[in-house]
Amino acid sequence: MSEQAIYQHLRELREHFTPPPGFTYPEISDGTFVMMVSPPPRHQVTAKDVARQLDPQLPDGILTFEATDTDDDSLGKLRVPDLIVTAREAMLTDGPLDPREIFLAIEIVSPSNPGNDYEVRAATTPPWASVTT
């Protein structure tokens, strides 16, 4: 089975997947699901604080959004950045966001899991994406 076929199969499985308590919907990377624990409230406060700082500085029609599926079939990756900055129109879709529509992707680093945020995500982030920690 090709990498592309494996990715498509994982995407289909994810559509019917219910995360166990305490976990979020998985990301897809390197032909596997990447399970993440649900973020604690402190994480959400940080995301809101960053969004409130960014939004007034952005041009009309460009906004900050939280936890949006982004995928690239050609790379076989589905990520869910903590925050993204993109055009409002780009978000008017029922499917995952095309990552090429993202101006900035922000990952909030968890003190309990810095290796994933600093090493794995940074090493597997495509060149068109920006990761700020």
Side-chain angles (χ1 to χ4, degrees), residues 7 11 14-15 68-72 78-79 90 93-99:
Y7 178 71
R11 285 288 314 280
R14 188 177 185 267
E15 301 273 332
T68 301
D69 287 357
T70 64
D71 87 318
D72 186 322
L78 183 143
R79 298 281 194 211
T93 179
D94 292 326
L97 182 66
D98 180 345

Side-chain angles (χ1 to χ4, degrees), residues 60-75:
D60 287 343
I62 307 297
L63 299 166
T64 306
F65 298 93
E66 290 186 40
T68 301
D69 287 357
T70 64
D71 87 318
D72 186 322
D73 287 339
S74 66
L75 294 175

